[in-house]
Structures are given as C-alpha cells and as structure tokens.
C-alpha cells in the first residue's frame, strides 16, 4: 500500500476491513480470506476467519518457488563458539523439511505443543519453522530461565515434545541445558514423551534411554525427506510465548497464523523499510518476542536475510562486535534494545570501535524492549550517523504499537517518544476511571478493541485470565499496563509500567514473581521487590526482607540464600543480586507496601512522605539502609 504515514493511518481508520484485506493480498494463502474480521468469534473477535495458509510456506517455500532459492535466508554468526554459517532459502527449506520429518516421526501432529529450549543456533529456527510447517504449536523458552520456570511452561502448554541442545555458551561459562531440562521434567506434572537433543561440541549431554533422541543423528537420517506444509486455518495458533504476568504463573500469549503473517509482512516494508534480499539484524534472542517476530518470522516472510547472532554487544570479544557484524554481512537495519547500546557506550564512550569498521550499509537503528532514554539515543545518533528509531510494543502485541515508519518516509524524531501510533491501533490515554485525558496528560495507555492482526488472541487455556488481566479494567479496550501520554502532535510517550513488571537489560520480569520466591525462604516473614535504576541494564531488582521474629541467623547469610533462591527458581536472567534485611516495610494505613516510594528513594529521586503512611519513621530507616549500601 502506497502513501504517507498520515494517508495510510487514515485509510485504515476509514475502512479497517478494506485496509487489512489489501495487506492480506501480500500473503500466499491456500484459501484467501473472503471475510476479514469476525467480531463474534474468540475473546474480542478473530482475523481472517475463513482463510487457510501456512506460515512456513510463506517464510520459506514461497521464495524458493519464486526462483529466489539462492538468496541467503539465514546467517549464523557465533563469536562465543567461533562458528559461522549461511543458509540459502533452498538450504533452509531442506533443513526445515528434515526437522519436520523428525518431529513427525516422533509423533508430533497438528495442534501438539513443542517446547523449544535452545540457544541461538540455526536448529532452533529450523525447529520453529518445522512446527509451523506441520501445524504444531511451538513455545520457545529463553535459556536464562531456571528449571522451575521451564517446568511451568512444559506443564501449562502440556508439551508433547521438547527440542533442546546439550548446552548454551555464555561468554563466562558453558550453560548445561540438559540437566536443567531433566530437572524441569522431574518437576513437571506433564511429562513430555520425547526430547530431541542436539549435542554441541562444547559439552555432551547424557541421553535418557527411551525418551531422548540425538537430534543431530536424526536430522542426518532425515536429510532429503519432504514434509508438505499443512493447510492451517488463519486462526490456528502458530505459537505460545510465555511472558511475565503479575503472579509467578507466566501468561501464555497465543499468536495465530494468518493475522501474524499479514501484520509482520507489512512492518518489514513500511516500518523498517527493508526490501527482499536485504540483510536485517535483530540482535535479540529467539526466547523473546523480538526474536520471534524479527529474527525469525518477519524477515523471512519478506524474503530478506536474517542474522542469528550468538554473542553479546560487549565482551565477544569487545565493544566493536556489532560493527564487525554490520560490516561483514552488510546489515541494512539493526534492531536491538537500548541496554545493548548503554553497554557498548560504557566500554567505548568515544565510539572508537565504530570507526574501525565500514558500517556504510547501515540505514537505521531501531530500539525497543524498554524506554529508550534520550541520552542513549543521542549518543547512538552521533556515533552511527543514521536515524535512531525508538518503537514501542509488547510480547502481547507482537509488533509495534507506536513507531516511526521509515518505509513510508520517516517523521521527525522527538527524543523520548517512540513517535506515532501504527495503523491498526486506536490508542487512547485514559484516567483511572476510564475517561480520555487531554493531550499532554499522563494516564493509562489503552488500545480500543479489536486489536489488529498479529496481536495476541488470548492466553493459552486462559481466556478468563486474559479478560481479567487485560480487558476488564477499561471495558472496550486492551490495557497495555504502560502509562504515558500523547502530545499535541500525536506523538506517544511511554513512561512507566502500571503493574509490577520491571525491565532488566531489556528482559521483562515480574517483581511479584520474585517476591513469591523471597517469601518462600523459611526465615522471611514478608518482603518487597522493586526495580532500581541501573546505568547499563535500565533497572535491576532489589529485595527487601523482613525476617521472622526469633530468627537468630546472620542477616547477610539469609540475604545470600535468598539471592541464590531467586537464581535457582527464576534464573540468572533475573539478575537478582541485592537482598537487604530491614526491620519493617513501609506501608499505608490499609497495609499496602509503598513500593513506589521505596523505588524513588533507591533511585535518588525526590520523594514525599505519603499522607497515608502508617509509620513515617520506616521510610527514613529504609533511606538509611539504602545509603549504607550505596543504593540511591
Ligand atoms: N542462557 C543462559 N544464561 C543466560 C542467557 C542464556 N541464553 N542469557 C543470559 N544469561 C545469563 C547471563 O550469563 C547472566 O548470568 P550471570 O549472572 O552468571 O552473569 C545473566 O543471565 C544475566 O544476563 P544478561 O541480562 O544478558 O546480562 P549480562 O550482564 O550478561 O549482559 C547486556 C548485559 C546488556 C550486554 C545484555 O543483557 C544484552 O546484550 N542485552 C541485550 C538486550 C536484549 O537482547 N533484549 C531482548 C529484547 S530486545
Ligand atoms: P516485552 O513484552 O518483553 O516486549 O516488554 C514490553 C514492555 O517493555 C512494554 O510494555 C513497556 O513497558 C516496555 N517497552 C518496550 N519497548 C518500549 C519503548 N520503546 N519505550 C518504552 N517502554 C518500552
């Protein structure tokens, strides 16, 4: 669809069904949609209810059939292992076919759930696409989670099979995945029938006879086999991706096939401005939504080349890692989280590493995953000399709610704003009573239903939880749980979460879930976990513990045990390294813990004694402890 941002936004507003019907023509359907939206189906309606197609077909087969089999589909670059590989679309098709054959031989059929617990290796992408091919529903679990988090996902999805690797490779250690998986399966009530295990040279895993299969051998044996793409309803689930909710129980976001393809294909051209054949690199992890949408599905739907990078922005080997990759593969558009840039800037404040590389292929940097602080944006603009574009979205939406559509002609940037609402989203800012607030006024950011194609349809097996968590507070709207405002020019500003979610190095975590773990320590009477500002990670969690009366053990010992407990139960990704014993927690007279005020004190911000506080002396005590520990 041609036009400026304003024209296209209005085209959508004037005729949403016509707009989506036109974008749906870019997809190669088995049965094209004759109806665009059914408001009576699903929790808030379903997109393309009578269409049939296959996401893997559109990501892979379609390009080969169109004579583009030689184009590079996937570049694997792994500074942590020293390995590199390239797969053309034709080679990708062969790999995905072999993986699909292995899955089918293991009894996986349409609708079965498959957990993909893998590091950033090509086989993870083959597994995701193979599931899409046969209609199995994948659920990728990030490697930095602990066994109990993995167990919760295996149980909730009732997974039939797990695809894993023997290990992941972090710069400072080899992470043995298989013992974590074995522990998770021990914990899980639902036992998967089979585990396909890729043995990596860095560490071999023990296989459980009768349950575990050597994936490398199975793939070699299946080489050359072809598995047809299943004709799936557009409304069939493509994947479940678990994300932090306000309790320890993660929410299984469901993405469908049809709406997801239509929306993501549009974003590649209109938002990122990337052509087929160009190299697009999302430096994230396949365990997160950014990885699902922009390492795997969108670039491949677009016939572009995607980069799978198994490394970090710094330390693998240095702060020039990103620029080496941009130069080596002629990356056109890079997408990462602001935290990665803060990490690079800390090591290379002058941008010296950038100058050692030819990054002339780079047209733009996109940032998302957390608020992009203006300071970081300005620094990135100065060292890269290309537009730096903040865009805002969530696991639930799968693609940007607000952004600056480079492909339609970028709008002027306002630092601190992810720019404007994308076509398909009707964004409103509401006060707590659900009334719209005037421009410039802070409020709850909500999206008028229906959500556009590509957004979650519901939570896995939990329609009621979806309604309660997201749709009930503001009837007729989806609650983003982000607070912010829209200025007079229609620019969106996203300022903070309205729930207990914090963003640690671009990773979404629930402080409520961490509190559940802290509270499970036998010596802890009550606790509060807050996010404290961090120069690189944006936020890091800090836990405040009140010990049970009569506990005579050293508080430092309990603090270390609690830190260990969170690492064991949630995982290293939580970066929970600070637990502090305090005598009491500050509360309102009605007993609500004043986490917001504690956070302000910890961040060294101005704070006022809340009028409703039960005992003002407690906040002074907390401020004293924080300054003793040099926090805040
Ligand atoms: N498997 C196992 N462990 C993992 C892991 C994985 N896939 N990813 C991270 N971890 C571990 C790390 O080894 C670290 O463990 P440690 O406590 O033993 O050191 C811990 O989880 C925290 O990791 P991380 O958040 O990555 O912090 P870091 O200090 O290693 O690196 C950054 C900091 C900023 C360089 C890094 O977070 C980064 O590159 N972030 C990019 C953001 C991103 O990709 N966001 C996704 C959304 S766009
Ligand atoms: P996730 O589901 O992990 O993608 O995290 C989504 C949350 O991260 C959002 O609800 C926001 O709180 C935050 N977030 C993501 N991108 C941005 C952004 N560009 N600006 C501000 N916050 C962001």
């Amino acid at each position: 669809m041609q036009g400026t941002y304003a024209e296209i936004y209005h085209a959508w507003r004037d005729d949403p069904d016509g707009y989506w019907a036109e974008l749906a023509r870019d997809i190669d359907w088995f049965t094209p949609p004759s109806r665009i939206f059914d408001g009576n189906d699903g929790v808030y309606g379903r997109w393309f209810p009578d269409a049939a197609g296959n996401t893997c077909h559109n990501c892979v087969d379609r390009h080969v059939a169109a004579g583009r089999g030689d184009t590079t589909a996937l570049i694997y670059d792994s500074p942590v292992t020293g390995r590199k590989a390239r797969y053309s679309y034709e080679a990708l098709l062969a790999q995905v076919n072999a993986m699909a054959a292995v899955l089918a031989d293991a009894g996986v059929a349409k609708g079965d759930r498959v957990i993909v617990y893998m590091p950033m290796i090509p086989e993870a992408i083959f597994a995701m696409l193979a599931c899409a091919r046969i209609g199995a529903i994948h659920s990728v679990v990030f490697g930095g989670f602990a066994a109990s988090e993995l167990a919760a996902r295996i149980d909730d999805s009732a997974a039939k099979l797990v695809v894993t690797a023997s290990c992941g490779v972090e710069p400072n250690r080899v992470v043995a995945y298989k013992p974590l998986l074995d522990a998770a399966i021990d914990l899980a009530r639902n036992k998967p029938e089979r585990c396909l295990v890729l043995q990596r040279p860095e560490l071999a895993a023990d296989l459980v006879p009768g349950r575990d299969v050597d994936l490398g051998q199975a793939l070699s044996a299946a080489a050359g086999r072809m598995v047809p793409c299943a004709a799936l309803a557009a409304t069939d689930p493509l994947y479940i991706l678990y994300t932090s909710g306000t309790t320890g129980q993660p929410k299984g976001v469901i993405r469908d096939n049809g709406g997801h393809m239509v929306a993501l294909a549009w974003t590649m051209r209109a938002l990122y401005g990337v052509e087929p054949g160009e190299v697009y690199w999302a430096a994230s992890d396949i365990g997160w939504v950014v990885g699902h949408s922009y390492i795997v599905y969108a670039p491949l739907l677009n016939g572009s080349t995607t980069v799978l990078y198994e490394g970090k922005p710094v330390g693998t080997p240095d702060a020039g890692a990103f620029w080496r990759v941009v130069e080596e593969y002629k990356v056109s558009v890079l997408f990462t989280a602001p935290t990665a840039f803060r990490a690079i800037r800390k090591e290379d404040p002058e941008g010296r590493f950038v100058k050692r590389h030819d990054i002339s292929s780079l047209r733009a940097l996109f940032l998302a995953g957390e608020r992009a602080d203006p300071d970081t944006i300005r620094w990135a603009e100065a060292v890269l000399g290309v537009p730096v574009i903040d865009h805002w979205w969530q696991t639930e939406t799968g693609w940007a709610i607000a952004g600056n559509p480079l492909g339609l002609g970028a709008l002027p940037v306002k630092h601190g704003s992810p720019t404007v609402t994308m076509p398909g989203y009707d964004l409103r800012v509401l006060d707590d009573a659900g009334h719209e607030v005037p421009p410039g006024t802070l409020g709850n950011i909500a999206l008028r239903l229906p959500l556009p194609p590509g957004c979650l349809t519901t939570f896995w097996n939990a329609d009621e939880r979806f309604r309660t968590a997201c749709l009930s507070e503001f009837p007729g709207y989806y609650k983003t749980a982000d607070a912010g405002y829209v200025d007079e020019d229609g620019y969106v500003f996203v300022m903070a979460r309205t729930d207990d979610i914090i963003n640690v190095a671009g990773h979404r975590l629930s402080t409520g879930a961490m509190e559940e773990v802290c509270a499970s320590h036998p010596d802890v009477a009550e606790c509060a976990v807050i996010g404290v500002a961090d120069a690189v990670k944006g936020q890091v969690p800090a836990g405040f513990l009140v010990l049970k009366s009569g506990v005579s053990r050293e508080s430092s010992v309990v603090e270390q045990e609690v830190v260990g407990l969170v690492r064991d139960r949630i995982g290293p990704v939580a970066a929970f390294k600070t637990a502090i014993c305090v005598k009491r927690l500050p509360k309102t007279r009605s007993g609500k813990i004043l986490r917001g005020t504690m956070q302000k004190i910890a961040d060294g911000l101005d704070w006022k004694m809340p009028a409703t506080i039960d005992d003002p002396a407690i906040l002074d005590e907390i401020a004293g402890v924080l300054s003793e520990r040099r926090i805040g």
Side-chain angles (χ1 to χ4, degrees), residues 369-371 390-395 482 494 497 503 508:
E370 58 179 319
R371 186 172 148 74
D390 179 18
H391 59 324
W392 164 62
W393 48 296
Q394 321 181 304
T395 304
D482 278 305
V494 182
R497 290 286 301 196
N503 233 300
R508 170 170 163 176

Side-chain angles (χ1 to χ4, degrees), residues 20 33 114 165 167 205 246 283 306 332 388 544 552 561 563 611 619:
W20 289 116
V114 171
C167 65
T246 45
T306 188
S332 300
V388 176
F544 295 82
S552 57
E561 285 173 358
V563 166
L619 273 178

Side-chain angles (χ1 to χ4, degrees), residues 63 67-74 87-91 276-278 303-305:
H63 306 304
R68 301 190 54 244
D70 289 342
T71 303
T72 304
L74 170 64
Y87 299 86
S88 64
Y89 272 97
E90 190 153 15
E278 288 193 314
S304 303
T305 302

